[in-house]
Amino acid sequence: VMANTLLLKKSGDASETPAANELLHGELAINYADGKLFFKNSGNSVVEFLSSPGTGAGQVLFSNGSTMTGDSTFIYDDSNNRLGIGTSSPAAPLEIQANGSHLIFDTPSAGQNSWITWADNGTLKWEINKNTTQKFGIYSYTLGSNVMTFLESGNVGIGTATPSKLLHVEGDALVTGTL
């Protein structure tokens, strides 16, 4: 049975933790003095969360199964609005550092679109996308169409969304050297 209770623990002592007998399983308590949030878990332990674990400002907290903890390489830099994964000092709005790092974009079911879009001051400019028919494209918002299309067969189209050969160019081309 899940408790539907929020207990506001009013205390002038910022270091006070509620005793196990003060909370029922699933109840939350907020320490009025320092804003720390506590809950009683299934093991009947009172666990502190949503407060600094004491190892570094800006750490993103997550549950390790029994307590909330932070990691010095999973950081939110509030003053610069930056999130760092694998770094303690992100230099961009999102910085990921890892050996052999990569990102996976996985849709919940087959045949759905995935994309990353670039914009200038709110104006959409470019997009890389995987559409519902498994075509991968580079899209220009200025032109309103894909400028390059890649098929699962390996065919690549420039100026066409339906390349019929390994390299299919629709329109004029300038080649310097031997083709």
Side-chain angles (χ1 to χ4, degrees):
V1 176
M2 181 161 305
N4 294 315
T5 303
L6 178 62
L7 172 65
L8 179 60
K9 181 166 180 62
K10 294 184 180 181
S11 170
D13 182 1
S15 63
E16 188 174 347
T17 299
N21 64 356
E22 294 179 294
L23 296 175
L24 297 175
H25 171 71
E27 284 186 328
L28 299 173
I30 299 172
N31 186 305
Y32 183 78
D34 61 11
K36 290 182 179 179
L37 187 57
F38 302 88
F39 74 97
K40 188 171 183 179
N41 66 17
S42 59
N44 287 323
S45 299
V46 175
V47 179
E48 176 184 339
F49 69 110
L50 297 182
S51 63
S52 173
T55 57
Q59 289 184 358
V60 176
L61 300 178
F62 55 92
S63 173
N64 65 10
S66 60
T67 61
M68 295 301 285
T69 186
D71 186 305
S72 62
T73 60
F74 190 22
I75 298 290
Y76 181 70
D77 177 354
D78 188 46
S79 62
N80 294 304
N81 295 319
R82 296 176 180 165
L83 180 64
I85 301 171
T87 178
S88 60
S89 55
L94 173 61
E95 181 175 345
I96 301 171
Q97 289 185 13
N99 293 330
S101 61
H102 67 278
L103 299 175
I104 296 175
F105 297 93
D106 190 6
T107 57
S109 62
Q112 295 185 335
N113 295 316
S114 298
W115 61 90
I116 300 173
T117 304
W118 286 264
D120 286 333
N121 196 29
T123 302
L124 301 178
K125 295 294 184 178
W126 291 98
E127 169 182 297
I128 56 174
N129 59 66
K130 188 274 307 171
N131 71 17
T132 58
T133 59
Q134 307 309 317
K135 292 180 182 177
F136 183 82
I138 300 174
Y139 183 87
S140 165
Y141 281 89
T142 301
L143 297 175
S145 63
N146 277 348
V147 294
M148 286 189 77
T149 301
F150 304 82
L151 302 182
E152 287 183 303
S153 66
N155 290 358
V156 176
I158 300 174
T160 178
T162 56
S164 58
K165 301 288 182 194
L166 190 59
L167 177 62
H168 182 157
V169 178
E170 186 75 30
D172 296 335
L174 174 62
V175 177
T176 58
T178 304
L179 180 64

